[in-house]
């Protein structure tokens, strides 16, 4: 981790605080100034840990730029990706508000910038601004709903359904490139497998099958969705 030298701190803070999708957008001008004065901005290179499982949370972490995977290590050190984050999303907040150690790790999958707010300041703002408390509750509730749906997907769907679901999830999270077909995130086959609760060999084989069926095309780590309707059908049928 290094302090960001590509964007000014004020620019980064402004993007996080004033973004229409940020929970901080409901703060008063005075509260925003206090927040801006106490935010810590950090730059993480691709593959660098933002936090590790078992560590104590240092504050509320907001992803200002980049892409992050959140995962747990299972038997034999195998990863299970439980969530993918994009700007202006929060990471590590469950452990923070539960006042527990992190139960998962977060790694930058591309160069990323985070903004961290101390727990004490967040608590003060929550106490003084009910709208902020409501926004955080909504965010936690949305995440809980997503986790419940993913549990069903990973335990009840077959391999084809799980992989199709993961591709649609990546599309919905990160969107498309300018061609409106290529998913705008480039994961390794191992990461795709860890996101879909399958072995790497099964992920490679299923991706190749999808490609041969004309559902997707593959160019290295780039995945282009050719038949959105059929991919959605495969996901729903499981």
């Amino acid at each position: 981790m290094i302090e960001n030298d590509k964007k000014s701190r004020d620019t980064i803070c402004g993007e996080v605080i004033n973004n229409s999708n940020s929970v901080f957008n409901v703060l008063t001008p005075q509260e925003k100034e206090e927040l801006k004065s106490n935010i810590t901005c950090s730059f993480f290179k691709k593959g660098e840990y933002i936090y590790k499982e078992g560590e104590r949370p240092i504050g509320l972490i907001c992803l200002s730029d980049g892409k992050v995977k959140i995962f747990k290590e299972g038997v034999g050190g195998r990863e299970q990706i439980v969530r993918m984050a994009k700007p202006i999303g929060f990471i590590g907040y469950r452990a923070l508000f539960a006042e527990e150690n992190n139960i998962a790790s977060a790694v930058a999958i591309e160069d990323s910038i985070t903004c961290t707010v101390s727990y004490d300041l967040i608590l003060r703002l929550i106490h003084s601004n009910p709208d902020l408390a409501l926004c955080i509750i909504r965010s936690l509730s949305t995440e809980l709903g997503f986790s419940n749906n993913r549990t069903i997907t990973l335990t009840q769907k077959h391999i084809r359904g799980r992989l199709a679901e993961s591709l649609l999830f990546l599309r919905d999270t990160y969107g498309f490139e300018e061609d409106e077909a290529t998913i705008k995130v480039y994961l390794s086959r191992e990461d795709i497998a860890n996101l879909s609760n399958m072995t790497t060999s099964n992920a490679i084989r299923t991706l190749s099958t999808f490609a041969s069926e004309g559902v997707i095309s593959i160019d290295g780590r780039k995945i282009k969705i050719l038949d959105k309707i059929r991919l959605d059908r495969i996901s729903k049928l499981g």
Side-chain angles (χ1 to χ4, degrees), residues 87-121:
I88 301 286
F90 292 103
I91 57 176
Y93 54 84
R94 190 217 63 83
L96 179 72
F97 290 119
E99 297 185 348
E100 299 174 351
N101 290 344
N102 293 315
I103 61 171
S105 301
V107 167
I109 56 176
E110 67 179 36
D111 291 353
S112 301
I113 303 171
T114 64
C115 296
T116 304
V117 185
S118 72
Y119 185 42
D120 289 341
L121 177 54

Side-chain angles (χ1 to χ4, degrees), residues 186-201:
Y186 313 125
L187 298 182
S188 67
R189 298 295 185 266
E190 183 179 9
D191 276 344
I192 292 175
N194 293 338
L195 180 63
S196 309
N197 191 29
M198 62 182 65
T199 63
T200 303
S201 59

Side-chain angles (χ1 to χ4, degrees), residues 150-159 162 197 237-238:
R150 285 291 290 173
T151 298
I152 297 299
T153 293
L154 297 178
T155 56
Q156 295 189 4
K157 289 186 178 182
H158 297 295
I159 286 177
R162 294 203 303 270
N197 191 29
L237 293 175

Side-chain angles (χ1 to χ4, degrees), residues 44 48 50-51 63 65-71 81 83-87 91 105-114 173-174 185 187:
F44 295 86
E48 195 171 0
I50 297 172
Y51 60 80
L63 183 62
D65 192 25
K67 299 179 179 73
V68 171
K69 67 176 181 179
I70 296 93
F71 65 93
I81 296 177
R83 197 172 147 233
M84 305 288 291
K86 65 176 181 179
I91 57 176
S105 301
V107 167
I109 56 176
E110 67 179 36
D111 291 353
S112 301
I113 303 171
T114 64
T173 302
Y174 298 114
V185 62
L187 298 182

Side-chain angles (χ1 to χ4, degrees), residues 31-47:
E31 289 169 337
K32 287 183 178 181
E33 281 303 314
E34 181 182 11
L35 184 63
K36 190 174 181 180
S37 299
N38 290 280
I39 278 183
T40 301
C41 301
S42 303
F43 176 77
F44 295 86
K45 293 183 177 180
K46 179 181 177 180

